[in-house]
Amino acid sequence: MKITLRELDGTSRGYYLLLGVLALVTAIGMGAVWTMEHNGHIVTGMNNQIVWGLPHVFAVFLVVAASGALNVASMASVFGKTEYKPLAPLSGLLAIALLLGGLTVLMLDLGRPDRLIVAMTHFNFKSIFALNIFLYSGFMGFVIAYLWTMMERSAQRFTPMAGLFAFVWRMALTTGTGSIFGFLVARQGFDSALFAPLFIALSLSYGLAVFLLVLMLAFTGSKRQLDAGLLARFARLQVIFVAAGLYFVLVLHLTNLYFTKHHDFERFILLEGGVHTALFWLGQVVLGGIVPMILLMHPRIGELRGRIVAATLLVVGGGFAQMWVTIVGGQAFPLVIFPGRQVSSSFYDGVVNTYTPTLPEWLLGFSGIAIAGLIVMLAMKFLGFLPGRLDGADKHITQRAAAAA
């Protein structure tokens, strides 16, 4: 069967409508950036106590999900699961798009994005932030090379090696992202080496959830067939990944409870933290963890696509709750400047810090998601990243489409 890229293009009215919505959200987000740039961060809810706010919640989630979005490609090339090969290019594309969306939010929230060149040319190698610049750029390069080997027939013999390098680098990237928090020893909410494996576990569930949402939306919108058995395998994987994330969250908090110096922070997050406690138990644990696992454990889950969509949306929502609790909740708890002493001053020492995100922060965060969506939609239209169908009859349709072009 001969497949051309023209047949894989997005040509429906719904495609262009969604593309227009994403472009509009991106434009509004850039307006929010201009507002913050022109007026200063005083228009946001961030302050001297909570310097990482809602934009960082969006950015870190997107970066962590970018690593996990490469799951499917890694399973195909590194672990030999050939049934996933037709979807490997889409997996790599989504990884690049999510990383670019997250980094765009981070860059535009700096206040002086034009000064980014300084951070890219002057390095303090004792800083995890400097190391992450190499991890982000390296991940982008490895995944682009990985995609090229998959899409170019003459280079396909290099795909396993490229996939292995991309897999190792994505582990390093997620380790570096988690270490941003784990290395901040001054804050009781962070200061734990467990953040590295925790973020790796979380990336698996977040990335697969986003991948499934994009896959189902793309196949439904383009009227392509999607095998129920394949969806069932993805659902079972998602249950394992969500359970692994909850396990590392449990280990992190049990470890903190073992050390007396972290008891006050654990009491704050688990019992007395107000919105942070509610987001932890209701958003992160129940709605983002337990409920999706229950939904996905149905014996005929491959045929119940509504359940899969609901579960993946809950995982994504729970991921944002997790990032809020980690980033904002960790800063809301006051710094312990003099251990064993009560401290109070006019500079909010010893006081639980408050933070309410403003509209520009929400708009900037959503624009990061929109940028990632634009990249994916345009690439699928012009480069043919979607296979024609996934019903078991055609295993390498994406590669053949690329070769035919």
Side-chain angles (χ1 to χ4, degrees):
M1 180 172 61
K2 184 178 179 180
I3 303 293
T4 66
L5 286 180
R6 186 64 185 167
E7 291 173 308
L8 299 180
D9 281 349
T11 56
S12 67
R13 181 179 301 177
Y15 173 88
Y16 289 108
L17 178 61
L18 180 56
L19 195 69
V21 170
L22 293 175
L24 178 61
V25 173
T26 301
I28 294 174
M30 296 307 101
V33 172
W34 180 88
T35 300
M36 291 189 288
E37 180 78 11
H38 182 71
N39 298 289
H41 272 50
I42 190 66
V43 300
T44 72
M46 292 178 278
N47 49 56
N48 290 333
Q49 288 72 45
I50 297 182
V51 297
W52 296 342
L54 186 67
H56 299 80
V57 172
F58 277 87
V60 175
F61 175 85
L62 290 172
V63 171
V64 172
S67 171
L70 202 62
N71 282 338
V72 176
S74 296
M75 287 188 291
S77 299
V78 180
F79 298 102
K81 300 295 183 180
T82 56
E83 64 269 26
Y84 299 126
K85 281 187 176 180
L87 293 175
L90 177 61
S91 174
L93 169 65
L94 192 57
I96 292 175
L98 290 170
L99 182 62
L100 285 175
L103 294 182
T104 300
V105 174
L106 278 180
M107 182 184 70
L108 295 178
D109 185 62
L110 291 175
R112 287 291 302 275
D114 56 300
R115 301 288 290 173
L116 183 65
I117 191 65
V118 177
M120 297 178 67
T121 55
H122 296 77
F123 299 105
N124 172 18
F125 289 103
K126 292 183 178 180
S127 169
I128 188 62
F129 298 100
L131 295 177
N132 271 307
I133 290 178
F134 291 96
L135 293 175
Y136 296 146
S137 57
F139 181 77
M140 194 79 65
F142 279 121
V143 176
I144 290 174
Y146 185 24
L147 283 175
W148 176 74
T149 64
M150 287 189 285
M151 304 295 284
E152 175 61 41
R153 175 174 292 178
S154 61
Q156 288 184 3
R157 66 182 183 275
F158 301 112
T159 297
M161 182 182 297
L164 178 60
F165 278 112
F167 174 76
V168 172
W169 204 268
R170 60 165 278 204
M171 300 293 284
L173 179 143
T174 318
T175 299
T177 305
S179 297
I180 291 175
F181 306 99
F183 290 174
L184 291 177
V185 297
R187 289 198 176 272
Q188 300 294 302
F190 305 142
D191 183 23
S192 174
L194 284 170
F195 272 101
L198 169 63
F199 270 55
I200 291 174
L202 295 177
S203 74
L204 298 175
S205 61
Y206 299 168
L208 184 57
V210 175
F211 178 84
L212 279 174
L213 287 173
V214 172
L215 177 68
M216 296 180 72
L217 178 63
F219 269 69
T220 300
S222 58
K223 298 180 180 178
R224 291 174 170 86
Q225 298 179 18
L226 192 55
D227 182 37
L230 184 66
L231 284 178
R233 287 194 291 272
F234 281 137
R236 288 192 290 269
L237 277 175
Q238 187 66 279
V239 171
I240 296 172
F241 292 159
V242 171
L246 287 177
Y247 169 77
F248 277 102
V249 169
L250 175 63
V251 172
L252 175 65
H253 287 285
L254 288 178
T255 303
N256 282 345
L257 288 170
Y258 186 81
F259 297 101
T260 303
K261 66 177 183 177
H262 292 305
H263 284 180
D264 289 340
F265 172 76
E266 288 298 315
R267 184 182 304 110
F268 171 74
I269 287 294
L270 300 180
L271 298 174
E272 303 171 355
V275 65
H276 310 296
T277 300
L279 284 175
F280 174 79
W281 289 111
L282 183 60
Q284 177 182 337
V285 175
V286 177
L287 295 180
I290 296 174
V291 174
M293 287 195 296
I294 294 174
L295 289 175
L296 294 175
M297 285 191 291
H298 193 281
R300 294 186 295 105
I301 187 60
E303 304 169 10
L304 304 175
R305 303 194 178 190
R307 275 192 175 225
I308 297 176
V309 171
T312 50
L313 286 173
L314 286 173
V315 170
V316 171
F320 279 103
Q322 165 88 56
M323 292 300 110
W324 175 282
V325 172
T326 300
I327 298 172
V328 179
Q331 296 173 93
F333 188 76
L335 286 168
V336 180
I337 301 176
F338 301 103
R341 307 290 181 181
Q342 289 187 350
V343 180
S344 62
S345 73
S346 58
F347 295 99
Y348 302 98
D349 292 323
V351 176
V352 173
N353 305 306
T354 59
Y355 166 71
T356 303
T358 60
L359 181 60
E361 295 176 84
W362 284 101
L363 296 177
L364 174 58
F366 282 116
S367 71
I369 298 176
I371 289 170
L374 283 174
I375 294 172
V376 171
M377 293 191 68
L378 291 174
M380 286 195 298
K381 176 177 175 61
F382 293 107
L383 299 177
F385 276 86
L386 278 181
R389 61 186 184 185
L390 283 176
D391 57 0
D394 216 331
K395 292 293 186 183
H396 302 287
I397 197 169
T398 301
Q399 288 86 343
R400 290 192 297 170

